[in-house]
Amino acid sequence: MDRITAVERALRSATPDALPRALSEALGLHYGAADVTLLMADYAMTILQPVTTLPYTMEPLLVHTSAAGRAFNWQQPHTEDSTEAGFVTVHLPVSVRGDRIGVLSVTLPAERLDADTERELLYIGEVLGHEILVCERDTDLYLQARRASRLTLAAEMQWQLLPGRSCKRPEYEIGAQLEPAYAIYGDNFDWSTSADHLTLTLSNGMGEGIEAALLTNLAVNALRNARRAGLSLTDQAYLADQAIHGQHQGRQHLSVLLLRFDLATGATEIVDAGSPRMWRLRSGKAEQIELDAQLPLGMFEDTLYAAQEFRTEPGDRLVFVSDGVYNVASPAGERYSEHALARALTSTRLLPASQVPRAVLHELAGHRGVIEADDDAMVVCLDWHGRPAGAQ
């Protein structure tokens, strides 16, 4: 049995709460690791928190200034000298299909770290990511490790509803983030891919607290139910509209933007139901895309929706923002203008899609200043590559 297989077997046979301990023992035995630390990215994507038993005693690391954060941000191994002479620490991204989960930091003798070992440890980091997602069904350990503070109940409901915060396949890359991360209300995003299509849904919630979270839960699950039944984009909107109106009789409604991309051609169907706004960055130029606005979901009974056609070209970056972004005011009362948003999208054009939402929201926080946010802010970034030549 080779050492990679041995480590994989140790992870798969460990109890859900014991992954870090099993990994530490296996890497010590087969790679000579002197120290192994699993760090989880918090909900705000600003710190990496070590996974230990409660109460936590190890200090978190900042994503933007630490060596581990460098591996997390760029999704590449990063090596630094250890505090112990003769040892090095290699930081490895832990992710699943582009969804960044955290970092695995391994300290081992310098002479034992070569290109083959680094490649093997990088693969082990991917295996660990998959195991964490499976084990989260049966333990709270990893979800607790993501928290720098307590979530509101509404935020708890919203985070459990999300598919992830990033996703990657040859045709596209997605990055998404919600703020305030520990107290979000009703903004939400969802996606699903098949062999031929990507469906992306973005909702701009109405209300605050539990009411907003319950409304969004109803809408997202109604849309998923219709999508999984194989219905068209317009029928998905219609059935979700009926579900919300049937529950609330028009007293509450939800703004939603639905998109369905053909992975082979980039042909895109869009249903704009009082949507979050859509921007496109093409050839370095940022512009807002004007869509055919229709009624929000749940406002009136028996609303019929129509899809409009759009073409997404390889190299396009699409960015979607909720009103919690473009309606934010500075301490002087100045709105975060379209010009400011266009400048933010242009200045982040070299960042990967997974980092764009955090960067835009960071600039937004600077505009808002010390004023506490009074609405959710959602940013979703989609980089469209198109289907590679010869791919099926």
Side-chain angles (χ1 to χ4, degrees), residues 98-235:
D99 190 13
R100 300 179 299 165
I101 296 174
V103 172
L104 174 64
S105 297
V106 182
T107 300
L108 68 170
E111 68 272 9
R112 299 195 65 164
L113 181 63
D114 53 24
D116 288 338
T117 297
E118 183 179 274
R119 192 160 45 247
E120 291 177 9
L121 292 174
L122 186 61
Y123 172 76
I124 289 170
E126 294 178 4
V127 173
L128 176 61
H130 283 270
E131 288 300 313
I132 288 172
L133 289 190
V134 172
C135 289
E136 280 183 346
R137 300 178 306 181
D138 303 308
T139 180
D140 289 332
L141 177 65
Y142 310 104
L143 294 174
Q144 288 173 323
R146 298 176 189 224
R147 301 171 189 221
S149 60
R150 183 175 177 178
L151 294 176
T152 64
L153 179 54
E156 185 84 50
M157 296 167 65
Q158 289 292 72
W159 283 111
Q160 291 298 311
L161 195 62
L162 297 173
R165 281 179 289 186
S166 48
C167 180
K168 182 178 181 180
R169 62 176 283 170
E171 294 88 352
Y172 61 81
E173 296 178 47
I174 301 175
Q177 182 64 16
L178 299 172
E179 290 290 346
Y182 291 84
I184 52 175
Y185 308 134
D187 287 3
N188 191 271
F189 51 83
D190 193 26
W191 58 70
S192 177
T193 187
S194 67
D196 301 311
H197 296 94
L198 164 69
T199 301
L200 178 63
T201 305
L202 309 113
S203 54
N204 191 351
M206 173 185 178
E208 298 181 0
I210 298 298
E211 287 189 1
L214 288 171
L215 177 63
T216 301
N217 259 267
L218 175 60
V220 170
N221 280 294
L223 288 167
R224 287 175 175 173
N225 179 257
R227 185 186 72 219
R228 292 165 184 170
L231 300 184
S232 68
L233 205 64
T234 52
D235 284 342

Side-chain angles (χ1 to χ4, degrees), residues 310-329:
F310 185 77
R311 175 69 62 175
T312 308
E313 302 289 347
D316 281 354
R317 167 169 285 181
L318 303 180
V319 179
F320 309 90
V321 297
S322 66
D323 59 6
V325 174
Y326 52 79
N327 279 341
V328 165

Side-chain angles (χ1 to χ4, degrees), residues 299-312:
M299 182 171 283
F300 297 106
E301 189 174 10
D302 292 327
T303 302
L304 297 178
Y305 293 92
Q308 66 182 102
E309 296 182 355
F310 185 77
R311 175 69 62 175
T312 308

Side-chain angles (χ1 to χ4, degrees), residues 347-368:
S347 66
T348 58
R349 66 188 182 280
L350 299 180
L351 293 177
S354 59
Q355 292 190 43
V356 171
R358 178 70 258 166
V360 172
L361 288 168
H362 179 74
E363 181 167 322
L364 181 69
H367 173 83
R368 186 174 59 238

Side-chain angles (χ1 to χ4, degrees), residues 255-289:
S255 295
V256 175
L257 180 63
L258 298 94
L259 304 99
R260 190 169 187 259
F261 301 86
D262 186 301
L263 296 180
T265 66
T268 309
E269 288 182 278
I270 303 177
V271 174
D272 178 359
S275 71
R277 297 188 185 181
M278 174 177 167
W279 287 70
R280 179 179 64 196
L281 188 67
R282 175 180 286 178
S283 301
K285 179 184 178 182
E287 60 179 338
Q288 184 178 341
I289 304 299

Side-chain angles (χ1 to χ4, degrees), residues 9 21 23 55 57 71 78 124 156 164 196 232 241 245 266 293 299:
R9 181 169 296 183
R21 183 173 66 252
L23 181 63
T57 56
H78 176 66
I124 289 170
E156 185 84 50
D196 301 311
S232 68
D241 171 74
H245 189 272
M299 182 171 283

